[in-house]
Amino acid sequence: FPTRRSSDLVLKAAVNDGDTVADDKVTVYAAPSATGFTVTLPDNGESAWLVLTPAAGYAAGTIVLPSVAQAVEKQEVLVNCTQSVTTLTVNGNGATVTGAPATLAANAFFRLRFEPVAKVWYRVG
């Protein structure tokens, strides 16, 4: 049987060509210092990793997602939080948000992905 060879780059591209998302998220840092904080993610059409490091556990906080007008298909937002947030609001900024957590424990995380036809951010992790 004939043997076919591919370079490592071709093989890597083929493996990564699935529906997985590479680590190409823009990192956004936020260190709220009081309850009732609001963190707004950039409107740049890029996926974002929000590293949320509140000074302490807080009763309330809000994360404002990129605006629906600027969000793109399969755009993702990954959120990590080092402290607890008792009441978390995830504001879709014109889009619907489905499955977002209403609270965060210390060291919790979640991931949302945007679907443009229905204009919905879906929780995917």
Side-chain angles (χ1 to χ4, degrees), residues 65-104:
L65 299 175
S67 72
V68 70
Q70 299 299 317
V72 298
E73 184 174 10
K74 295 185 181 179
Q75 182 176 353
E76 288 192 350
V77 172
L78 172 63
V79 178
N80 287 91
C81 188
T82 59
Q83 299 287 337
S84 63
V85 181
T86 305
T87 303
L88 178 70
T89 302
V90 180
N91 179 328
N93 205 358
T96 301
V97 181
T98 300
T103 187
L104 284 176

Side-chain angles (χ1 to χ4, degrees), residues 1-110:
F1 295 99
T3 306
R4 296 189 74 169
R5 294 184 180 212
S6 295
S7 73
D8 288 342
L9 292 175
V10 170
L11 180 60
K12 185 176 179 181
V15 169
N16 287 334
D17 196 37
D19 201 19
T20 59
V21 176
D23 289 331
D24 58 355
K25 293 174 180 58
V26 174
T27 305
V28 177
Y29 299 95
S33 58
T35 193
F37 67 84
T38 297
V39 175
T40 301
L41 294 170
D43 261 348
N44 57 11
E46 296 184 73
S47 292
W49 174 27
L50 174 58
V51 179
L52 191 57
T53 56
Y58 291 131
T62 299
I63 297 170
V64 180
L65 299 175
S67 72
V68 70
Q70 299 299 317
V72 298
E73 184 174 10
K74 295 185 181 179
Q75 182 176 353
E76 288 192 350
V77 172
L78 172 63
V79 178
N80 287 91
C81 188
T82 59
Q83 299 287 337
S84 63
V85 181
T86 305
T87 303
L88 178 70
T89 302
V90 180
N91 179 328
N93 205 358
T96 301
V97 181
T98 300
T103 187
L104 284 176
N107 301 311
F109 63 93
F110 66 96

